[in-house]
Amino acid sequence: MSKLRPVARYAVLLLITLIFVTPLVWMLLTSVKTYDAAQQVPPSWLPNPFSTYGYDRILNDTANPVLRWFLNSMLAATLHTLLVLATASTAAYALARMRFRGRGLLFALIVGTLFVPPTSLIIPNFIIAERINWIDTLTVVVVPGAASAFGVFFLRQFFLSIPAELEEAAVLDGANQWQIFRQVLLPLSKPALATLAVLSFLTNWNDFLWPVYVLFSPERLTLPAGLGLLQGAYVTDYPVIMAGAMLASVPVLILFVFAQRHVIQGVSRSGLKG
């Protein structure tokens, strides 16, 4: 019985892997099919013949500048991630390590905003963005949401798991609050910061609803909003759509490959102490 347990465990892991990998493989294979091959019923897995039709369309279509959308998404997601790390880390440090009146109530209010449906904030956020002339600019998809309640909660839990003796030793060496935060807490928090960076990047990269509401010029669209324009009213060009989806998935896969070790460490340590 004990010998069968590892086999069963690996079988379950293999099944889960197939569930997650199969859609990616199907997307990749469909992106290198011809238009007619992608419309076949029943569908076939292997492209016959192999074709770069989908990639040629999205890379050479002047009406739908997919590469420009890709660069817009990269810039917006990167700047958004940096802002989230800056605001969440400073706020989390104050809530985890500094003593002041109303700290618990403030933290409860921040966590309480996690229960507010994001779609209910679209109209007030749109009105605010319009009044400060951010509509149809990349700023409108970078700054709103940069004050991440989840990021504050996540990093606060991680900061609480770091022994206070390290800060006390830094104080004895003459360090002030900023030096403690920058030279003691942040270097020890690389796994949590990497995890939050990945999650923030993915959230902004995959955001579809908000960019659709606030971006109107074709050259300013982000990739998820722009790819929606590739969907025809009556005919679906699957190779083109799948080629765009593959282009959108590449940065995410690369980011996870390089950050997965830090992500696992950050998730495993962030909940050690409440």
Side-chain angles (χ1 to χ4, degrees):
M1 182 64 68
S2 59
K3 293 182 179 180
L4 292 178
R5 288 179 180 176
V7 176
R9 187 182 299 115
Y10 284 114
V12 172
L13 292 175
L14 179 61
L15 177 61
I16 295 174
T17 301
L18 289 175
I19 292 174
F20 282 95
V21 171
T22 299
L24 292 175
V25 175
W26 177 262
M27 182 170 65
L28 174 62
L29 294 176
T30 304
S31 70
V32 292
K33 292 180 180 179
T34 62
Y35 175 82
D36 293 334
Q39 304 288 336
Q40 285 182 354
V41 179
S44 61
W45 273 89
L46 297 178
N48 186 22
F50 179 89
S51 173
T52 59
Y53 156 76
Y55 294 95
D56 293 337
R57 281 286 307 274
I58 65 172
L59 296 179
N60 300 312
D61 189 351
T62 56
N64 298 306
V66 177
L67 285 181
R68 180 63 181 268
W69 299 342
F70 179 86
L71 294 176
N72 289 344
S73 287
M74 283 293 296
L75 180 61
T78 301
L79 293 177
H80 175 81
T81 300
L82 294 176
L83 280 177
V84 168
L85 293 178
T87 57
S89 60
T90 50
Y93 174 72
L95 292 171
R97 295 304 197 188
M98 300 175 68
R99 298 289 184 266
F100 55 90
R101 181 176 297 180
R103 184 182 66 160
L105 177 60
L106 180 60
F107 178 66
L109 290 175
I110 292 174
V111 174
T113 61
L114 293 173
F115 298 94
V116 179
T119 51
S120 66
L121 301 176
I122 288 181
I123 293 178
N125 284 340
F126 181 90
I127 294 174
I128 294 172
E130 185 180 35
R131 290 183 177 178
I132 58 180
N133 297 319
W134 280 2
I135 297 298
D136 202 25
T137 66
L138 278 184
T139 306
V140 79
V141 293
V142 172
V143 177
S148 170
F150 171 78
V152 174
F153 169 77
F154 182 77
L155 291 182
R156 175 186 177 271
Q157 299 305 107
F158 193 92
F159 288 161
L160 288 175
S161 70
I162 298 176
E165 291 78 9
L166 296 175
E167 295 178 67
E168 295 172 359
V171 171
L172 292 176
D173 289 338
N176 55 35
Q177 290 280 4
W178 172 249
Q179 290 173 325
I180 293 173
F181 169 69
R182 186 170 58 89
Q183 299 178 8
V184 178
L185 268 294
L186 287 185
L188 294 173
S189 305
K190 289 180 181 179
L193 293 173
T195 303
L196 182 60
V198 171
L199 295 176
S200 301
F201 187 93
L202 291 179
T203 299
N204 189 274
W205 180 267
N206 293 323
D207 193 11
F208 172 79
L209 188 60
W210 177 245
V212 166
Y213 271 91
V214 297
L215 299 176
F216 307 117
S217 302
E219 69 275 7
R220 292 192 177 95
L221 291 176
T222 56
L223 193 56
L227 290 179
L229 300 178
L230 301 179
Q231 174 71 40
Y234 304 102
V235 178
T236 301
D237 197 336
Y238 290 109
V240 173
I241 294 176
M242 294 303 178
M246 283 301 304
L247 183 65
S249 64
V250 168
V252 175
L253 295 175
I254 294 175
L255 180 65
F256 181 76
V257 167
F258 285 99
Q260 60 176 327
R261 180 171 59 89
H262 295 296
V263 170
I264 295 172
Q265 291 178 2
V267 171
S268 63
R269 290 189 56 188
S270 61
L272 290 180
K273 191 173 182 180

